[in-house]
mmCIF file of all heavy atoms in Angstrom:
data_model
loop_
_atom_site.group_PDB
_atom_site.id
_atom_site.type_symbol
_atom_site.label_atom_id
_atom_site.label_comp_id
_atom_site.label_asym_id
_atom_site.label_seq_id
_atom_site.Cartn_x
_atom_site.Cartn_y
_atom_site.Cartn_z
ATOM 1 N N CYS A 395 -117.604 -47.614 100.612
ATOM 2 C CA CYS A 395 -118.141 -47.848 99.271
ATOM 3 C C CYS A 395 -118.393 -46.517 98.595
ATOM 4 O O CYS A 395 -118.291 -45.452 99.195
ATOM 5 C CB CYS A 395 -119.433 -48.666 99.334
ATOM 6 S SG CYS A 395 -120.843 -47.743 99.988
ATOM 7 N N SER A 396 -118.739 -46.604 97.309
ATOM 8 C CA SER A 396 -119.164 -45.429 96.543
ATOM 9 C C SER A 396 -120.512 -45.687 95.888
ATOM 10 O O SER A 396 -120.869 -45.015 94.920
ATOM 11 C CB SER A 396 -118.114 -45.088 95.471
ATOM 12 O OG SER A 396 -117.938 -46.174 94.573
ATOM 13 N N ASP A 397 -121.248 -46.637 96.419
ATOM 14 C CA ASP A 397 -122.547 -47.044 95.885
ATOM 15 C C ASP A 397 -123.603 -45.997 96.232
ATOM 16 O O ASP A 397 -123.815 -45.682 97.410
ATOM 17 C CB ASP A 397 -122.925 -48.407 96.461
ATOM 18 C CG ASP A 397 -124.158 -48.993 95.793
ATOM 19 O OD1 ASP A 397 -125.159 -48.264 95.667
ATOM 20 O OD2 ASP A 397 -124.124 -50.172 95.408
ATOM 21 N N THR A 398 -124.269 -45.455 95.217
ATOM 22 C CA THR A 398 -125.280 -44.430 95.442
ATOM 23 C C THR A 398 -126.392 -44.925 96.354
ATOM 24 O O THR A 398 -126.838 -44.206 97.259
ATOM 25 C CB THR A 398 -125.878 -43.975 94.104
ATOM 26 O OG1 THR A 398 -124.862 -43.327 93.335
ATOM 27 C CG2 THR A 398 -127.021 -42.993 94.314
ATOM 28 N N ALA A 399 -126.859 -46.162 96.147
ATOM 29 C CA ALA A 399 -127.965 -46.689 96.944
ATOM 30 C C ALA A 399 -127.574 -46.827 98.416
ATOM 31 O O ALA A 399 -128.354 -46.479 99.311
ATOM 32 C CB ALA A 399 -128.412 -48.039 96.385
ATOM 33 N N SER A 400 -126.358 -47.311 98.677
ATOM 34 C CA SER A 400 -125.912 -47.474 100.063
ATOM 35 C C SER A 400 -125.744 -46.122 100.748
ATOM 36 O O SER A 400 -126.134 -45.936 101.906
ATOM 37 C CB SER A 400 -124.598 -48.258 100.101
ATOM 38 O OG SER A 400 -124.753 -49.540 99.552
ATOM 39 N N ILE A 401 -125.162 -45.162 100.027
ATOM 40 C CA ILE A 401 -124.936 -43.839 100.607
ATOM 41 C C ILE A 401 -126.261 -43.126 100.844
ATOM 42 O O ILE A 401 -126.493 -42.536 101.910
ATOM 43 C CB ILE A 401 -124.019 -43.015 99.684
ATOM 44 C CG1 ILE A 401 -122.616 -43.633 99.659
ATOM 45 C CG2 ILE A 401 -123.951 -41.563 100.129
ATOM 46 C CD1 ILE A 401 -121.685 -43.009 98.644
ATOM 47 N N ALA A 402 -127.165 -43.183 99.865
ATOM 48 C CA ALA A 402 -128.470 -42.553 100.040
ATOM 49 C C ALA A 402 -129.268 -43.236 101.134
ATOM 50 O O ALA A 402 -129.972 -42.575 101.910
ATOM 51 C CB ALA A 402 -129.242 -42.591 98.715
ATOM 52 N N GLY A 403 -129.166 -44.554 101.226
ATOM 53 C CA GLY A 403 -129.872 -45.265 102.288
ATOM 54 C C GLY A 403 -129.403 -44.851 103.666
ATOM 55 O O GLY A 403 -130.206 -44.668 104.585
ATOM 56 N N ALA A 404 -128.086 -44.692 103.825
ATOM 57 C CA ALA A 404 -127.552 -44.240 105.110
ATOM 58 C C ALA A 404 -127.998 -42.817 105.415
ATOM 59 O O ALA A 404 -128.335 -42.482 106.565
ATOM 60 C CB ALA A 404 -126.031 -44.332 105.089
ATOM 61 N N ALA A 405 -128.019 -41.955 104.387
ATOM 62 C CA ALA A 405 -128.444 -40.567 104.589
ATOM 63 C C ALA A 405 -129.913 -40.503 104.995
ATOM 64 O O ALA A 405 -130.297 -39.731 105.895
ATOM 65 C CB ALA A 405 -128.200 -39.754 103.326
ATOM 66 N N ILE A 406 -130.758 -41.300 104.363
ATOM 67 C CA ILE A 406 -132.189 -41.304 104.709
ATOM 68 C C ILE A 406 -132.401 -41.857 106.105
ATOM 69 O O ILE A 406 -133.239 -41.349 106.870
ATOM 70 C CB ILE A 406 -132.965 -42.126 103.661
ATOM 71 C CG1 ILE A 406 -132.920 -41.415 102.301
ATOM 72 C CG2 ILE A 406 -134.409 -42.321 104.091
ATOM 73 C CD1 ILE A 406 -133.501 -42.226 101.166
ATOM 74 N N MET A 407 -131.627 -42.883 106.466
ATOM 75 C CA MET A 407 -131.726 -43.419 107.816
ATOM 76 C C MET A 407 -131.389 -42.351 108.854
ATOM 77 O O MET A 407 -132.062 -42.200 109.874
ATOM 78 C CB MET A 407 -130.774 -44.609 107.972
ATOM 79 C CG MET A 407 -130.839 -45.291 109.334
ATOM 80 S SD MET A 407 -129.556 -46.562 109.509
ATOM 81 C CE MET A 407 -129.929 -47.601 108.098
ATOM 82 N N GLY A 408 -130.323 -41.592 108.591
ATOM 83 C CA GLY A 408 -129.956 -40.525 109.506
ATOM 84 C C GLY A 408 -130.987 -39.419 109.536
ATOM 85 O O GLY A 408 -131.293 -38.860 110.601
#
Side-chain angles (χ1 to χ4, degrees):
C395 72
S396 60
D397 189 311
T398 295
S400 299
I401 293 172
I406 293 173
M407 183 187 303

